[in-house]
């Protein structure tokens, strides 16, 4: 599967090189919190993101982050490879559809694929992701999320996120049918870096992310996440 994704990335790169726009970032976060669960066992994590925008709205990219599950002395890499297409509709909305492959090294048993679709207007978007085998649990899932940003003045912006993971079939043991998570953050640009402080919180009871990722259980009062990102 990794080889197939590598071929897809290479083909998209070579086929549209003449119209390429390449962008990315390197980031250091105080804790890698994903959908409400800590995937770095409360420790800092370096991250890398690279996106290639081709012609006619096609794009492909990859994200990588250090991860460590609770009680496991080994550190590894979480990677997300994605490809999709974005287009502006006559209504003024932007429709974005694509597919993402989530992988863990070590921890291949957690690997899964999601297809997604989103609608965006200005700085706000709604997105729905579907996986036929979430986290390799033989359970289909849907993740619904709302994301937005609002300029507060100068280079300071407010960032908002709300998400809900729902199992559509095959409810795993110890997991709730629906799990909510949210994040509120403030960010600014200074000296060529993006700086952000965010408060992330998820349901502690029946939290599927923590149970099945092996991630640290969410703090009942939430988690403060600090990050510094250098775009290029």
């Amino acid at each position: 599967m990794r080889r197939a994704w590598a071929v897809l990335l290479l083909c998209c790169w070579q086929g549209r090189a003449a119209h390429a726009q390449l962008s990315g970032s390197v980031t250091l976060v105080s804790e890698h919190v994903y959908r409400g669960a800590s995937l770095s066992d409360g420790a800092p994590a370096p991250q890398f993101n690279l996106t290639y925008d081709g012609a006619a709205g096609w794009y492909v990219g990859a994200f990588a982050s250090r991860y460590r599950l609770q009680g496991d002395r080994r550190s590894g890499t979480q990677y997300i490879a994605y490809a999709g297409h974005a287009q502006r509709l006559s209504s003024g909305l932007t429709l974005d559809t694509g597919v993402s492959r989530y992988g863990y090294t070590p921890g291949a048993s957690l690997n899964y694929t999601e297809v997604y679709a989103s609608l965006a207007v200005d700085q706000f978007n709604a997105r729905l992701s579907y996986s036929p085998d979430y986290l390799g649990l033989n359970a289909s899932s849907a993740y619904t999320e709302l994301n937005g940003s609002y300029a507060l003045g100068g280079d300071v912006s407010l960032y908002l996120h709300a998400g809900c993971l729902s199992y559509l079939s095959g409810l795993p043991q110890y997991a709730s049918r629906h799990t909510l998570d949210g994040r509120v953050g403030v960010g600014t640009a200074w000296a060529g870096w993006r700086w952000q402080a965010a408060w992330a919180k998820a349901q502690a009871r029946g939290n599927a992310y923590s149970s099945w990722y092996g991630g640290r259980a969410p703090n009942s009062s939430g988690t403060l996440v600090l990050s510094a990102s250098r775009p290029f």
Side-chain angles (χ1 to χ4, degrees):
M1 179 61 74
R2 290 184 201 171
R3 183 174 297 177
W5 275 96
V7 171
L8 172 62
L9 291 169
L10 182 61
C11 289
C12 289
W13 177 277
Q14 293 178 339
R16 299 181 180 275
H19 307 281
Q21 181 177 352
L22 189 65
S23 61
S25 64
V26 289
T27 303
L28 179 64
V29 295
S30 61
E31 184 171 355
H32 180 23
V33 176
Y34 179 72
R35 293 185 178 177
S38 174
L39 299 189
S40 61
D41 200 16
Q47 299 179 338
F48 176 79
N49 186 74
L50 188 66
T51 301
Y52 169 83
D53 292 302
W58 293 99
Y59 63 88
V60 65
F63 165 87
S65 175
R66 174 188 173 275
Y67 91 99
R68 185 178 67 188
L69 302 185
Q70 186 178 21
D72 192 340
R73 294 182 179 181
R74 299 174 300 169
S75 294
T77 302
Q78 178 199 33
Y79 68 86
I80 306 173
Y82 54 90
H85 179 262
Q87 66 180 60
R88 189 70 174 266
L89 304 178
S90 58
S91 62
L93 297 174
T94 298
L95 173 64
D96 186 354
T97 57
V99 59
S100 298
R101 176 65 179 177
Y102 295 73
Y104 299 85
T105 306
S109 62
L110 298 173
N111 295 359
Y112 66 99
T113 300
E114 280 186 339
V115 293
Y116 60 85
S118 73
L119 285 174
V121 57
D122 297 328
Q123 302 302 313
F124 298 89
N125 74 76
R127 173 167 160 158
L128 176 64
S129 304
Y130 168 78
S131 174
D133 186 16
Y134 188 66
L135 290 174
L137 298 173
N138 295 317
S140 61
S141 69
Y143 185 70
T144 307
E145 59 185 300
L146 299 173
N147 303 285
S149 64
Y150 180 77
L152 298 177
D155 290 326
V156 180
S157 295
L158 174 69
Y159 298 95
L160 303 170
H161 162 82
C164 178
L165 173 68
S166 300
Y167 284 101
L168 306 179
S169 66
L171 180 65
Q173 189 178 13
Y174 307 120
S176 298
R177 178 67 66 182
H178 305 284
T179 303
L180 302 174
D181 72 278
R183 181 184 291 229
V184 178
V186 176
T188 189
W190 179 69
W193 289 74
R194 293 292 304 176
W195 308 85
Q196 188 178 128
W199 197 256
K201 181 175 173 58
Q203 286 178 308
R205 183 179 178 181
N207 185 276
Y209 316 132
S210 299
S211 299
W212 295 102
Y213 274 116
R216 191 161 57 93
N219 189 315
S220 59
S221 60
T223 302
L224 177 64
V225 181
L226 305 176
S227 67
S229 179
R230 178 78 177 189
F232 59 86

